[in-house]
Amino acid sequence: MPPQPPINGLSVDVEDWFHVGAFEHVIAKDSWDGLADRVERNCDAILAMFAEAGVKATFFTLGWVAERHPALMRRIAAAGHELASHGWDHARVFTFDAKGFAAHPDRSRKTIEDTGGIRVTGYRAPSFSIDRRTPWAYEVLAEQGFAYSSSVAPIAHDHYGWREAPRFAFRPLPGADLIEIPVTTAEFAGRRLAAGGGGFFRVLPYAFSRWAIRQVNRRDRRPAVFYFHPWEIDPGQPRVGNAPLKSRLRHYSRLEQMSGKLRQLVGEFAWGRMDALAAREAALAEPVPELLAA
C-alpha cells in the first residue's frame, strides 16, 4: 500500500489591503484607522470556504487587526483554526534591532491571546523578513516562548529571501526547541522556485502549484507550506493609484481568480494547522547553527 501523502500546512496572513509592504511608502500608518476596513468580511469568506472544504488552517494575525476585531479572533478560534502572531503592524524584522523587534511579537501575541482566548505558539515575520540580516530574531522568539516560526523564504527575491536557508524545517538555535518552517519552494534544473502561495499562486497557472506541491509531497516526502492574504480574494478593494507601477501590478494582478483557485487547492490536497505540522516536523528538523554565523 503506498504511503499516505503528508498533511500540508495551510496559512492565512491576516492583514488588510493597506498594511502591505508594497504600499508602505505611500500610505502612512497614522492614516490606517481612517481607511476602508475590509479584513473582517474577507476573513469571514475564508472561514466559510474552509468550512465547506472541511480543512483547518493557521491565521497569522497582525496585533493591530486583533485589537480592532476581537469578535473575528473568537470566530477563528471557535472554528478550530490556530491563531498565531504576524507581528504588530507589519513592520519588517530587518527595520529593527533585537530590542526594538522584541516588543512586536510579544505585544501581538498577548493581544491575540486576550481577544481569541487561546494560546499563541507560532510566529510569522511580515514579508518573510527573517533572513541573513536578522538571525538574532530567533533568540528573541525563543525567549518569548514561541514553539515555531514560519518566517523564511529560502529563495533569492528582490523583496525578501534567504537563499542559503534549508528548504524544510530546521532548528536555528543550538539547545533550543524552536523550529523554523520555511515557506515552500520547488526545484527545477538546479534552481529553487517560490511555490508557497501569495502573488506567485495568483499569477502563475494552477498547474504549477499542483506540480510543486506534488514534488514536495511525493519526491521529498515532506509537507508543503502555503500562505495567502485576505485581501487577495477581494477584487473590489480600493486602488492605490500613487503606488509604484511594479507594486500595483504585484498587488492587484488576478485578484478575481484567487477564490476559485483556492477552492481547487484546498479540495485537492490534505491540509492542516501549522502548529500540528510543526509538531510532526520537529523530529526531522536538523540544527543549523552555522546558518546564523554566516
Side-chain angles (χ1 to χ4, degrees):
M1 183 176 179
Q4 292 296 310
I7 299 175
N8 303 296
L10 181 60
S11 58
V12 184
D13 290 359
V14 181
E15 58 199 55
D16 217 328
W17 60 273
F18 48 82
H19 291 132
V20 300
F23 300 151
E24 64 186 350
H25 298 301
V26 294
I27 300 179
K29 288 184 179 181
D30 60 10
S31 73
W32 285 358
D33 277 317
L35 299 175
D37 186 320
R38 301 173 71 87
V39 69
E40 187 160 8
R41 64 184 292 277
N42 291 332
C43 282
D44 282 337
I46 292 165
L47 288 172
M49 181 191 303
F50 289 173
E52 182 181 350
V55 300
K56 304 301 180 186
T58 293
F59 287 70
F60 290 102
T61 305
L62 292 181
W64 192 95
V65 172
E67 184 177 64
R68 288 159 176 78
H69 296 281
L72 173 62
M73 299 300 102
R74 292 191 291 271
R75 289 199 297 278
I76 291 171
H81 303 290
E82 179 191 12
L83 285 168
S85 171
H86 195 34
W88 183 256
D89 60 359
H90 212 266
R92 286 173 283 187
V93 178
F94 55 73
T95 64
F96 301 103
D97 59 17
K99 183 177 179 181
F101 166 68
H104 280 241
D106 186 56
R107 184 184 179 192
S108 174
R109 175 178 56 82
K110 290 175 180 176
T111 301
I112 295 167
E113 289 180 340
D114 288 345
T115 55
I118 59 176
R119 183 167 175 255
V120 169
T121 64
Y123 172 80
R124 173 170 287 157
S127 300
F128 298 100
S129 53
I130 292 183
D131 57 26
R132 67 176 63 86
R133 295 168 290 183
T134 57
W136 44 259
Y138 288 123
E139 295 182 3
V140 174
L141 296 175
E143 288 171 1
Q144 293 185 3
F146 286 95
Y148 76 91
S149 163
S150 182
S151 302
V152 167
I155 58 169
H157 186 274
D158 66 336
H159 189 56
Y160 54 77
W162 194 355
R163 177 62 177 81
E164 300 81 12
R167 293 179 59 224
F168 300 109
F170 63 91
R171 296 184 183 275
L173 297 173
D177 291 333
L178 179 75
I179 67 170
E180 169 65 41
I181 307 172
V183 69
T184 284
T185 56
E187 291 184 323
F188 181 76
R191 296 182 59 191
R192 288 184 183 180
L193 306 176
F200 297 102
F201 181 72
R202 278 186 286 121
V203 172
L204 296 176
Y206 179 80
F208 171 79
S209 294
R210 175 191 286 129
W211 165 80
I213 294 173
R214 284 179 176 174
Q215 181 191 92
V216 171
N217 287 173
R218 296 177 181 181
R219 189 196 72 179
D220 301 315
R221 302 292 178 88
R222 300 297 284 268
V225 173
F226 183 88
Y227 78 99
F228 68 100
H229 308 89
W231 54 262
E232 290 187 281
I233 66 163
D234 184 10
Q237 66 189 269
R239 265 32 182 189
V240 183
N242 60 336
L245 177 60
K246 187 175 183 180
S247 296
R248 284 181 280 137
L249 288 173
R250 282 179 170 172
H251 188 86
Y252 297 119
S253 292
R254 302 192 176 181
L255 294 176
E256 66 283 352
Q257 299 180 21
M258 186 65 167
S259 290
K261 293 176 77 172
L262 283 171
R263 285 190 171 85
Q264 187 172 359
L265 186 83
V266 298
E268 184 169 353
F269 296 95
W271 299 101
R273 294 165 39 144
M274 291 292 296
D275 56 352
L277 185 154
R280 293 191 299 270
E281 287 288 284
L284 299 174
E286 296 290 335
V288 286
E290 67 278 2
L291 192 67
L292 275 67

